[in-house]
Amino acid sequence: MRVLVTGVAGFIGFHLARRLMARGDDVVGVDNLVPYYDPALKKARLAILEQEAKQHGVEYRFEHLDIADRVAMPKLFKACAEMSVVNLAAQAGVRHSIEHPHDYIDANLVGFMNVLEGCRHNGAAHLVYASSSSVYGLNTKLPFSVEDSVDHPVSLYAATKKANELMAHTYSHLYGIPTTGLRFFTVYGPWGRPDMALFQFTKAILAGQPIAVYNRGEMRRDFTYVDDIVNGLVRVLDRVPTRNECWDGAHPDAGSSSAAYRVYNLGNGNPVELLDFIRAIETHLGKKAVLDLQPMQPGDVPATAANVDDLQRDFGWRPSTPVHEGIGKFIAWYRAWYKV
């Protein structure tokens, strides 16, 4: 398989590209290396991809460009005609979207439109794209299901991800582009993003600094280990969706369509109390955390939990990494990378 991966220098994109090349796939990676966090981490990921491509004897090419670039993107897709596409490029972060909303319009809406147009005009075999558990917004019925309404987002980030799903459906319906959206649930693991809780907590605890614990710790998250995410991504990528012949507009199934369109939750399905998550970090570090209990932050939600029955039914996928084990793997990587 030949696969175009946007956001290849990012956390999930890096792990996905490694997995694809390890099984013999050729990869074209795209990233703009935006300094949302330390670009050195992204450059280190890219160096590993270059090295592993040679080890596996596959073709790998990196393109340093912004998916919001309307001039560069058509040229890229013309050179990558009929490839499968995984769009992981996005401006991430709920709280960042409150302070810098235009970043999300440019990357998540304009950029995704350019990806869709590239797929439309160059015969993409399959477009898989990252959505988010954030689309569930004000929903309180747990676990979250793709059958649930997602019409009440509480952050611009969530709104852009919901918009991506609508845009993808439109292109599947109008132009026959097979699309699959995956709603990721709190991904963590080695080479993770420094703005995520596990990274920030580990850094602060080792430094003896207090960690900000929002909603005074009364939160639950469906933490999902990155290897489980990548396993799901690859399975979905390998099977091109078809139209649901039983789809009924009078009783619409939100997760499928009369077009070649699917949406799935990709989460652990086993939410963890935030304070238990912190205790597991303490255990692996051998050091207690200093808790700074704070109120709920704008754009945040108290709990997430994924119903992954559809993904298990259609792909036989199940998460296999317990949170305690995944935290241990992250901390081992963190100590090695930062020489702690």
Side-chain angles (χ1 to χ4, degrees):
M1 184 180 291
R2 298 170 62 236
V3 186
L4 172 62
V5 180
T6 71
V8 74
F11 173 34
I12 301 174
F14 162 69
H15 282 281
L16 174 64
R18 295 182 81 182
R19 181 70 58 84
L20 292 174
M21 292 192 300
R23 73 174 192 171
D25 293 344
D26 297 331
V27 173
V28 175
V30 174
D31 207 291
N32 64 354
L33 301 179
V34 64
Y36 173 64
Y37 57 82
D38 185 4
L41 193 60
K42 299 180 180 183
K43 292 177 181 178
R45 294 174 184 143
L46 291 178
I48 290 174
L49 293 179
E50 290 278 0
Q51 178 182 2
E52 293 187 356
K54 295 176 182 178
Q55 291 174 353
H56 298 304
V58 298
E59 293 185 13
Y60 167 75
R61 186 173 87 250
F62 173 67
E63 297 285 349
H64 184 185
L65 62 85
D66 191 332
I67 63 169
D69 187 334
R70 289 184 61 183
V71 175
M73 286 292 282
K75 296 177 182 178
L76 170 71
F77 270 84
K78 187 176 181 180
C80 299
E82 300 183 1
M83 293 178 69
S84 295
V85 180
V86 182
N87 183 60
L88 300 173
Q91 178 59 60
V94 169
R95 281 183 283 278
H96 186 77
S97 70
I98 295 173
E99 300 172 0
H100 305 280
H102 290 92
D103 292 351
Y104 294 76
I105 301 303
D106 293 340
N108 300 6
L109 297 184
V110 176
F112 192 62
M113 170 57 74
N114 289 338
V115 170
L116 288 170
E117 279 288 285
C119 292
R120 171 191 174 190
H121 292 292
N122 297 279
H126 184 192
L127 169 61
V128 179
Y129 61 94
S131 186
S132 169
S133 61
S134 297
V135 301
Y136 290 104
L138 291 176
N139 292 16
T140 57
K141 181 180 72 67
L142 296 175
F144 297 146
S145 168
V146 294
E147 304 300 324
D148 299 335
S149 168
V150 288
D151 293 332
H152 300 89
V154 295
S155 69
L156 182 63
Y157 169 69
T160 62
K161 287 301 183 180
K162 166 64 174 174
N164 287 172
E165 295 178 5
L166 297 174
M167 294 161 72
H169 182 268
T170 301
Y171 272 64
S172 293
H173 173 76
L174 290 175
Y175 309 116
I177 301 169
T179 66
T180 306
L182 297 173
R183 294 172 179 171
F184 296 151
F185 281 70
T186 316
V187 189
Y188 74 100
W191 294 97
R193 284 187 5 230
D195 63 315
M196 297 295 286
L198 177 55
F199 208 112
Q200 291 186 336
F201 289 172
T202 299
K203 180 179 179 181
I205 293 171
L206 286 172
Q209 299 172 348
I211 59 175
V213 182
Y214 297 114
N215 204 32
R216 297 176 175 83
E218 296 181 8
M219 302 181 76
R220 285 188 297 157
R221 286 291 180 270
D222 205 351
F223 295 101
T224 313
Y225 190 65
V226 66
D227 285 358
D228 291 330
I229 290 287
V230 170
N231 286 339
L233 259 169
V234 170
R235 293 192 186 201
V236 168
L237 178 65
D238 286 347
R239 184 186 300 178
V240 178
T242 57
R243 62 191 305 268
N244 180 356
E245 299 292 345
C246 299
W247 197 86
D248 180 3
H251 303 91
D253 168 18
S256 66
S257 172
S258 58
Y261 165 91
R262 290 291 189 278
V263 173
Y264 295 99
N265 287 333
L266 192 47
N268 194 46
N270 186 23
V272 175
E273 297 287 343
L274 181 57
L275 293 179
D276 290 339
F277 187 74
I278 293 170
R279 292 186 188 101
I281 299 171
E282 292 174 329
T283 297
H284 283 285
L285 291 177
K287 190 172 183 179
K288 297 290 289 183
V290 179
L291 305 185
D292 176 15
L293 302 181
Q294 298 189 13
M296 180 74 81
Q297 296 293 290
D300 217 339
V301 296
T304 65
N307 181 329
V308 294
D309 291 347
D310 290 351
L311 198 65
Q312 291 177 350
R313 177 198 67 211
D314 293 348
F315 297 94
W317 175 89
R318 293 180 182 274
S320 61
T321 309
V323 168
H324 195 278
E325 177 184 332
I327 290 173
K329 291 180 177 180
F330 168 81
I331 289 175
W333 167 82
Y334 185 96
R335 287 186 181 279
W337 175 250
Y338 289 103
K339 298 179 174 59
V340 178

